[in-house]
Amino acid sequence: MPEVRSPTPLYHRIYAVMRERIVKGYYPSDAPVPSEAELAESFSVSRITIRKAMEMLTAEGLVTRTRGRGTYITDRTKENKLNRVVVSNINSLFSYLNAVGKSTRLKVVSLDVGEAPPRICEQMGVLPTTELVRAVRVRSLDRRPYSLSTAYLLPEIGETLNRQDLATTNMIDLVQKAGAVVEKVEQTLTATLADDYAAKHLEIPIGAPLMLVNRLFFNSELKPFYAAEIFYRADRYEYRVSLKREDGKDFSLGN
């Protein structure tokens, strides 16, 4: 069979492989990366191709290149601390959000009122023509984008928001300050790819992998009042769950 040629440039394919190795911990944090000559030999390509791939990794903040010292994996210790948080109930979720807030910085992209996407209206149980308050923000960790979030809120809750508070305070604190009581939270996690909007604000290539976290907050009457869509850079975010057997809850599968 004739060889199938990939439309993706060779350097980008090598970048994708190296990126996966770094994200998965193939190279320890703050450890040196093999030299361009070693990588060129390993991948059977030219050093120019390797150099282009390394430039992409550098631009993404995954490696740090220093003259006379070489190329090193960027230390992700602070990110790992956030990743270790286990969320099992509303209190632990709020504790996690508080920890994220203390470790990151916020930038407000927009704050407006208008019709929300159909999927959001369906989740919140409102008509497609309902106008919701929408707030878009970017969180940065160590001066690099960490997440892009969009919050959709019912007007009676969202009308109290302003850009100054949004730049300094967690959304969950703001909605509770506005009088909302959070009785229940539903959360889903999905793998997705960056479109041009997410790529621009998260400073990653279009098509880069993202983790999408969707949270739906219910009030004391168990009615949705706030929906959040949060895109996390896959190289900077990891979600962990710890499962424990409950006493007296053993079961066996049927034959």
Side-chain angles (χ1 to χ4, degrees):
M1 293 181 64
E3 181 182 354
V4 178
R5 294 183 176 274
S6 171
T8 306
L10 182 56
Y11 70 85
H12 195 284
R13 281 179 274 160
I14 292 174
Y15 148 79
V17 172
M18 291 293 294
R19 185 183 190 282
E20 187 71 7
R21 288 181 178 181
I22 293 170
V23 172
K24 297 299 184 183
Y26 186 91
Y27 303 111
S29 295
D30 205 27
V33 178
S35 66
E36 289 182 358
E38 292 172 322
L39 289 173
E41 181 178 357
S42 174
F43 285 101
S44 299
V45 298
S46 69
R47 291 182 63 173
I48 294 177
T49 300
I50 293 296
R51 191 170 297 129
K52 287 184 177 180
M54 296 306 294
E55 287 173 353
M56 293 180 68
L57 293 171
T58 302
E60 202 170 335
L62 291 175
V63 300
T64 303
R65 312 181 79 181
T66 306
R67 185 183 298 275
R69 186 169 179 259
T71 303
Y72 280 72
I73 302 299
T74 303
D75 186 4
R76 300 170 65 202
T77 304
K78 290 184 178 179
E79 296 169 32
N80 291 337
K81 288 181 179 178
L82 294 181
N83 293 340
R84 293 192 187 104
V85 177
V86 177
V87 176
S88 58
N89 53 45
I90 288 181
N91 289 334
S92 61
L93 172 62
F94 287 4
S95 295
Y96 167 72
L97 295 177
N98 184 55
V100 171
K102 290 181 178 179
S103 303
T104 58
R105 290 182 177 275
L106 282 166
K107 182 181 75 172
V108 180
V109 177
S110 63
L111 174 62
D112 54 30
V113 178
E115 294 183 5
R119 66 182 183 280
I120 297 297
C121 294
E122 183 177 355
Q123 289 176 20
M124 299 187 68
V126 298
L127 295 174
T129 55
T130 303
E131 291 196 334
L132 301 175
V133 176
R134 184 184 69 164
V136 181
R137 301 186 294 178
V138 172
R139 279 193 183 276
S140 295
L141 178 64
D142 294 333
R143 300 182 180 181
R144 292 187 293 129
Y146 175 72
S147 67
L148 170 66
S149 64
T150 302
Y152 299 92
L153 303 107
L154 294 180
E156 56 266 31
I157 300 298
E159 65 185 4
T160 63
L161 300 180
N162 61 68
R163 295 180 71 97
Q164 182 176 352
D165 288 340
L166 286 171
T168 58
T169 311
N170 286 341
M171 183 64 75
I172 194 62
D173 292 329
L174 293 176
V175 298
Q176 291 184 110
K177 183 179 178 181
V181 175
V182 181
E183 185 67 26
K184 185 178 78 166
V185 181
E186 292 182 354
Q187 177 171 275
T188 59
L189 288 82
T190 310
T192 187
L193 301 176
D195 59 13
D196 55 341
Y197 185 80
K200 172 186 175 183
H201 290 290
L202 292 175
E203 299 177 8
I204 53 177
I206 294 175
L210 295 174
M211 177 65 76
L212 169 60
V213 177
N214 181 282
R215 295 191 184 109
L216 189 61
F217 294 79
F218 296 78
N219 61 20
S220 57
E221 298 176 346
L222 295 182
K223 294 182 178 179
F225 70 91
Y226 162 33
E229 288 189 334
I230 311 164
F231 293 93
Y232 291 94
R233 286 178 46 157
D235 60 312
R236 311 202 71 196
Y237 180 80
E238 179 179 289
Y239 189 85
R240 301 185 183 188
V241 176
S242 178
L243 304 177
K244 183 179 179 181
R245 182 186 299 274
E246 293 184 60
D247 294 337
K249 297 291 184 178
D250 294 348
F251 69 95
S252 58
L253 296 177
N255 295 328

